[in-house]
Each structure stands twice: as C-alpha cells, then as structure tokens.
C-alpha cells in the first residue's frame, strides 16, 4: 500500500491487470482501516461516471469496527490512464479480475473473515453478477446495493427494441458514440460549486458524464438481462433506493429529493431476481447515490445499513450454501414476465 490522494488514513494499492487493446490496464484499491484491528471488511464499488471520494461512508464503517476498502475500477477515477476511453467496457465481466484481486487482498493478505460488498448504480449490477458467478467460492458474506442499475431509465420502446438495436451496433462498432448524454441535473444536485454539498474531481466525475458508447450499452444490457432472468446469490442482500424518481432534463428543486438518474420502480421490480434472501429499503428524499443525500436522509440510510449488517452479519461469516438451480426464467422479451414474488422483507 502507498499513500492515497485523500491523505491519511487512506492508502491505495494499484492492481496490474495486464493489457487490453488500448494498452496497460490497472485498478486501484483504496483502504481505510478501523481504529482497532478488525476481521471484518467492506468493499465498495462505484457506479458509472464515478470514483471513490465518499469518505463519510468509510468513516461510518470504520466507526463500527469495519476496515473499509473501495475499488476504482479499470478506466475510472484513479485507474483512468491518459490513453484510455473513460469508463468504457465491452462486457461487465471485464471487471471481475479486479474484484477477484481485491477479495484476495482483503481476505488472504489482510486476513479478514467477513466481507460485505457495497455497490452503487452500475457497480451494484456488477457486484451482483460477480457474486452470482463466484457463489461457490465463498468470497462474499453480504451485499448492499445502493440504487442498482437494473434497467434502462426510458420508455419500453427505448428499453427493449431500440436498446436491442444499439446492442447489435455495440457488437459491431463498440466505440461508436451515441447521440445522447446523461444531462447535468444530477451532477448539479451534488457538486458544491453548483447546488450540492460535495466536492470531487470533475475530471473524473464530470457534470454531464462521459460520452455513452454503443459497446458499453451492449455490456450493460447483457448484464441486466442476466439479472432479470434470475440470479442465485445465496448471501443476504439489502437493496436500498429512493421512493421516487426525477424525470426532467431541466433543473428543479425536486431533483434534490429524488433519484435523478434511474427509475426506482425498476429496482423494486427486479430485486427478488437477485436470490432467495433480499431486503428492500426505500428512503423518502433519497438521491441516486443515497449516501450523498441530504443529512437527515443519509443518517437514515446509514442507520438502516448498520441495523441490517448487525442482523445478518453480526454473528460471523455467513455459511456458504451449495448453488441450487434457479427455476425462474425470463423469456427473451422481459416484459412478458409476470411480476416477481415479494422480497423477503421490506422495512
């Protein structure tokens, strides 16, 4: 470990991932240890157009006696190299090597018995797929999903037929830039130079995001289809999201009290497809990144995460269960699938 740009007590470890078609690839694991030695750890994974800067999240877990780790994925934040296409991938499975390496460091090198993973937005989709694919390895003991990216935030015609056409384009011309952007409303609601309270590097997290490319849409759509067809995550999952979405591309004060990026009802609808033990928690006034919501809301978010972690991870590592065949299958057209069963618990 070497000093991180956040300063003490943060350290970082650069994970060498070899080369791809753009050259050398790295990921960056950031660590913040608890005050006393701990056998419990959290691994945080950011979303699209994002990186780890949320030190108050690390402080929360460290105060509870958990060592905190955050992973800047390849081509994001600390891991973005000058010649690389920002935030680009062709397959969400491309991120599994750095997740494997981070788990190896946390469990075997740093000696932790319990590992809680926490993913935001696209990071939530990525760790869900990774936890499913690695379910026999016993790497993860619990998962917290912060507004996970389970479906495109668009009308059905765009989410299904148009997205399918874009995905086909993405396989042929993955670097093709699509003629739409993420907009600036969410970024304005966050950054202290605009209408928010947070300071972060706008070169790594620009207000309007980075160009959206066809190959990335294909990767996300493929991962979302896998999720909606049903995963078999055997460890407890907490899915947290706002109670409502903000859908305008123009600024309004209500953007500070809602998810201005995704449709929260998609998260609720597909939550039970994660596995047999899913808890759903919704927060009135929550932003897309719930931990960046207003002080009163994020206090409730942290309280719920702490209560959930105490309940499901307080007695030690979750036993590893043998994988069971998943009887839930979606047709090729997800919209023909009936509403999924209710999640195990809704606070």
């Amino acid at each position: 470990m070497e000093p991180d740009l956040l300063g003490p007590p943060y350290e970082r470890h650069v994970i060498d991932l070899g080369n791809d078609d753009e050259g050398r690839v790295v990921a960056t694991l950031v660590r913040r240890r608890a005050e006393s030695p701990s056998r419990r750890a959290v691994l945080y994974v950011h979303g699209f157009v994002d990186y780890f800067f949320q030190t108050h999240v690390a402080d929360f877990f460290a105060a509870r006696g958990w060592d905190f780790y955050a992973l800047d994925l390849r081509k994001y934040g600390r891991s973005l190299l000058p010649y690389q296409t920002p935030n680009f991938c062709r397959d969400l499975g491309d991120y599994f090597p750095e997740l494997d390496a981070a788990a190896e460091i946390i469990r075997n090198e740093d000696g932790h018995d319990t590992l809680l993973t926490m993913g935001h937005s696209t990071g939530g989709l990525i760790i869900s797929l990774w936890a499913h694919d690695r379910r026999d390895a016993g790497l993860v003991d619990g998962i917290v999903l912060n507004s996970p990216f389970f479906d495109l935030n668009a009308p059905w015609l765009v989410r299904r037929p148009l997205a399918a056409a874009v995905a086909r384009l993405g396989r042929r011309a993955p670097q093709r830039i699509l003629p739409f952007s993420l907009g600036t409303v969410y970024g304005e609601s966050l950054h202290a130079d605009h209408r928010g309270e947070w300071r972060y590097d706008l070169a790594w997290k620009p207000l309007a995001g980075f160009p959206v490319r066809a190959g990335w849409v294909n990767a996300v759509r493929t991962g979302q289809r896998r999720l909606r067809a049903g995963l078999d995550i055997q460890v407890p999952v907490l899915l947290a999201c706002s109670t409502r979405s903000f859908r305008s591309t123009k600024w309004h004060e209500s953007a500070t009290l809602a998810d201005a990026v995704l449709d929260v009802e998609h998260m609720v609808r597909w939550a039970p497809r994660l596995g047999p033990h899913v808890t759903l928690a919704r927060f009135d006034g929550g932003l897309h990144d719930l931990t960046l919501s207003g002080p009163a809301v994020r206090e409730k978010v942290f309280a719920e995460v702490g209560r959930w972690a105490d309940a499901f991870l307080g007695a030690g590592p979750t036993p590893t269960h043998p994988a069971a065949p998943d009887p839930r299958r979606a047709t090729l057209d997800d919209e023909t699938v009936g509403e999924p069963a209710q999640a195990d618990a809704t606070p």
Side-chain angles (χ1 to χ4, degrees), residues 274-324:
L274 291 161
H277 198 147
V278 180
T279 302
L280 176 64
R282 305 187 70 172
F283 298 90
D284 190 32
L287 297 183
H288 177 53
D289 185 341
L290 291 170
T291 69
L292 301 181
S293 302
V297 177
R298 64 178 182 263
E299 182 178 348
K300 292 178 181 178
V301 171
F302 286 134
E304 183 63 27
V305 170
R307 184 167 71 96
W308 178 89
D310 287 346
F312 292 109
L313 301 179
T318 302
T320 301
H321 299 283

Side-chain angles (χ1 to χ4, degrees), residues 207-249:
L207 290 185
F210 294 109
V212 177
R213 298 173 188 270
W216 180 84
V217 171
N218 178 51
V220 168
R221 179 176 179 273
T222 300
Q224 290 174 339
R225 283 167 62 85
R226 284 191 63 201
L227 175 280
R228 295 193 299 266
L231 302 181
D232 185 31
I233 299 173
Q234 288 292 322
V235 299
V237 179
L238 171 64
L239 190 151
C241 64
S242 183
T243 57
R244 58 188 179 272
S245 297
F246 176 84
R247 291 181 169 83
S248 177
T249 58

Side-chain angles (χ1 to χ4, degrees), residues 6-329:
L6 292 172
Y10 293 91
E11 308 165 282
R12 70 180 177 191
H13 173 74
V14 176
I15 300 170
D16 194 328
L17 297 166
N19 287 26
D20 69 3
D21 59 342
E22 293 186 321
R24 180 174 177 246
V25 180
V26 301
T28 310
L29 186 65
V30 179
R31 180 176 70 187
R32 188 240 197 269
R33 289 196 181 275
E35 293 300 319
S36 300
S38 176
R39 305 286 289 184
R40 299 174 181 274
V42 178
L43 175 61
Y44 173 88
V45 181
H46 57 78
F48 184 57
V49 191
D50 208 356
Y51 72 101
F52 172 65
F53 65 91
Q54 299 90 338
T55 56
H56 62 295
V57 179
D59 292 342
F60 165 77
F61 282 105
R64 296 176 66 87
W66 294 66
D67 287 341
F68 181 88
Y69 297 77
L71 187 63
D72 276 13
L73 299 168
R74 64 185 69 196
K75 305 185 183 183
Y76 283 86
R78 298 164 178 81
S79 307
L80 178 61
L81 302 177
Y83 49 82
Q84 292 178 327
T85 304
N87 300 187
F88 180 72
C89 75
R90 290 180 171 83
D91 189 312
L92 296 185
D94 292 348
Y95 300 118
F96 291 2
E98 50 255 58
L99 288 166
D100 291 339
E104 168 72 18
I105 292 169
I106 294 168
R107 282 196 175 275
N108 297 331
E109 294 186 20
D110 288 357
H112 294 91
D113 298 325
T114 301
L115 177 58
L116 169 66
T117 55
M118 183 176 186
H120 168 56
S121 197
T122 308
L125 176 61
I126 292 167
I127 67 168
S128 296
L129 298 170
W130 175 69
H132 167 81
D133 284 0
R134 301 291 189 265
R135 61 191 181 276
D136 293 334
L139 298 180
V140 176
D141 298 295
I143 298 173
V144 174
L145 301 177
N146 172 5
S147 306
F149 189 11
F150 284 173
D151 210 340
L152 301 174
N153 185 12
W156 179 87
L157 199 63
V158 176
R159 293 202 315 272
R160 298 299 180 260
L162 183 57
V166 171
R168 289 193 294 272
L169 173 64
R171 292 190 286 272
R172 297 193 310 271
Q175 291 281 3
R176 180 74 61 85
I177 295 176
L178 301 177
F180 60 82
S181 70
L182 301 179
T184 63
V185 169
Y186 180 56
E188 288 181 41
S189 75
L190 297 182
H191 202 277
D193 288 347
H194 296 270
R195 307 170 194 270
E197 62 174 296
W198 307 100
R199 294 205 173 273
Y200 48 82
D201 192 333
L202 290 172
W204 289 347
K205 187 177 173 64
L207 290 185
F210 294 109
V212 177
R213 298 173 188 270
W216 180 84
V217 171
N218 178 51
V220 168
R221 179 176 179 273
T222 300
Q224 290 174 339
R225 283 167 62 85
R226 284 191 63 201
L227 175 280
R228 295 193 299 266
L231 302 181
D232 185 31
I233 299 173
Q234 288 292 322
V235 299
V237 179
L238 171 64
L239 190 151
C241 64
S242 183
T243 57
R244 58 188 179 272
S245 297
F246 176 84
R247 291 181 169 83
S248 177
T249 58
K250 296 181 179 179
W251 176 259
H252 188 275
E253 288 301 319
S254 58
T256 63
L257 299 171
D259 189 322
V261 178
L262 297 179
D263 187 332
V264 295
E265 298 308 322
H266 292 159
M267 306 170 200
V268 174
R269 177 180 183 184
W270 300 113
R273 297 299 175 92
L274 291 161
H277 198 147
V278 180
T279 302
L280 176 64
R282 305 187 70 172
F283 298 90
D284 190 32
L287 297 183
H288 177 53
D289 185 341
L290 291 170
T291 69
L292 301 181
S293 302
V297 177
R298 64 178 182 263
E299 182 178 348
K300 292 178 181 178
V301 171
F302 286 134
E304 183 63 27
V305 170
R307 184 167 71 96
W308 178 89
D310 287 346
F312 292 109
L313 301 179
T318 302
T320 301
H321 299 283
D326 194 336
R328 300 161 305 197
R329 303 303 304 170

